[in-house]
Amino acid sequence: EDRIMPELPEVETVKRLLAPQIVGRHILEGIALHTQVIAHPGADAFCDALRGQRVQGIDRKGKFLLMNLESGDYIVIHLRMTGSLYVAPPDFPLEKHTHIVLKLEGDRELRFVDMRRFGRMWLLGKDEEDSFSGVKKLGPEPFAAEFNGSYLQDALSNKSRAIKDCLLDQHIVTGIGNIYSDEILFASKIHPQRPASSLSAKECQRLSELIPQVLLRAIEQNRISPEEYLKEKGQGYRSTPFFQVYGKKGQPCPACGEPLCRVMVAGRSSTYCPSCQK
């Protein structure tokens, strides 16, 4: 189900919630209740290597989280469809699909829960080449200085694929999924099926400005307190009421009142306004 997949704004929300709760704490023990989630190295090596390490910071790249350790080692985490990550006191009831528990000093546990078990963790040594997670292949962040109109125009100029499909391509720009591509294209007044190469320089410029705007607004709207986040067990952080078009087929367009339409683009459903996005 599309609806569940955390995209850049949700992963950023998780990062911001976790940072104050885990940064500066030592990992006392790692417990792998389900080893399949650990993609690299083996589960035993993963748990052994983490014991005694201190969490130095937490970053986000696209839809990935990077937990940096003081030694220079780091954990790459991808929540995929249904993964969630939250900090709980040890007596907080253990969710049924809890796969990884990192016991932290100060009586806290970082828990990774994933009903469908698609989420993954990779532990990389300080000088180890990350040829595993895919982080190194990601395109620019939407908030990066190099992500601008001319970059986008270059990236799209030879793509006959639909613009919607290109926005989902993590090599072109990272962090956007099905939800925010719909929201971005609506804000840009661009039809999701338009060939990417047909966008003018002006449209590419506007799109490069709207992408970070739409994502930043979502990050603001996703705001949730740590208490609420724990109560929701690391879910419930998505600003669904604020969506303009995503998932609203048949409802009136918020700009012109025309009923919103849905179309399949590259195997994904897309909601758009036939009048505003000609």
Side-chain angles (χ1 to χ4, degrees), residues 46 50 53 65-69 71-76 122-130 133 135-136:
F46 179 92
L50 289 181
Q53 296 237 38
L65 286 168
L66 279 73
M67 203 166 125
N68 301 311
L69 306 169
S71 64
D73 298 353
Y74 61 101
I75 307 171
V76 179
W122 300 261
L123 173 66
L124 290 135
K126 186 170 76 169
D127 303 314
E128 191 176 357
E129 179 62 40
D130 179 5
S133 70
V135 166
K136 293 274 181 281

Side-chain angles (χ1 to χ4, degrees), residues 156 159-163 166 190-199:
L156 302 177
K159 306 272 189 298
S160 55
R161 287 152 45 199
I163 181 61
C166 290
I190 295 170
H191 192 288
Q193 284 176 309
R194 244 185 92 180
S197 54
S198 73
L199 268 66

Side-chain angles (χ1 to χ4, degrees), residues 91-269:
D91 58 2
F92 190 78
L94 204 65
E95 279 295 282
K96 182 177 168 198
H97 299 284
T98 304
H99 305 312
I100 310 287
V101 177
L102 299 185
K103 290 184 177 286
L104 306 172
E105 66 179 327
D107 235 17
R108 283 286 170 269
E109 292 181 356
L110 179 64
R111 298 178 183 176
F112 180 70
V113 181
D114 189 358
M115 186 177 82
R116 288 171 74 172
R117 253 187 245 151
F118 292 149
R120 289 291 177 266
M121 287 192 184
W122 300 261
L123 173 66
L124 290 135
K126 186 170 76 169
D127 303 314
E128 191 176 357
E129 179 62 40
D130 179 5
S131 52
F132 309 99
S133 70
V135 166
K136 293 274 181 281
K137 299 192 182 96
L138 297 174
E141 278 282 317
F143 310 122
E146 72 263 26
F147 182 72
N148 53 32
S150 56
Y151 163 78
L152 206 51
Q153 201 184 356
D154 276 356
L156 302 177
S157 61
N158 58 354
K159 306 272 189 298
S160 55
R161 287 152 45 199
I163 181 61
K164 159 95 176 189
D165 191 26
C166 290
L167 289 182
L168 296 175
D169 184 337
Q170 301 301 300
H171 303 111
I172 294 176
V173 55
T174 182
I176 302 169
N178 209 32
I179 293 176
Y180 295 106
S181 55
D182 278 6
E183 296 291 297
I184 287 160
L185 290 170
F186 175 71
S188 314
K189 298 185 164 32
I190 295 170
H191 192 288
Q193 284 176 309
R194 244 185 92 180
S197 54
S198 73
L199 268 66
S200 68
K202 201 172 155 190
E203 286 174 310
C204 287
Q205 180 56 39
R206 183 153 162 69
L207 193 53
S208 76
E209 290 165 10
L210 280 166
I211 287 171
Q213 280 174 30
V214 169
L215 296 172
L216 277 171
R217 193 167 60 232
I219 292 166
E220 281 305 304
Q221 290 162 341
N222 279 352
R223 237 182 240 274
I224 180 175
S225 73
E227 296 74 25
E228 194 60 30
Y229 182 71
L230 177 59
K231 203 175 90 191
E232 296 273 354
K233 303 182 183 75
Q235 300 277 354
Y237 47 61
R238 191 189 296 280
S239 60
T240 317
F242 298 99
F243 294 152
Q244 298 286 293
V245 292
Y246 176 78
K248 299 193 170 195
K249 174 192 166 217
Q251 294 182 31
C253 164
C256 74
E258 193 75 20
L260 296 171
C261 296
R262 191 174 143 222
V263 64
M264 294 301 280
V265 183
R268 309 295 296 273
S269 76

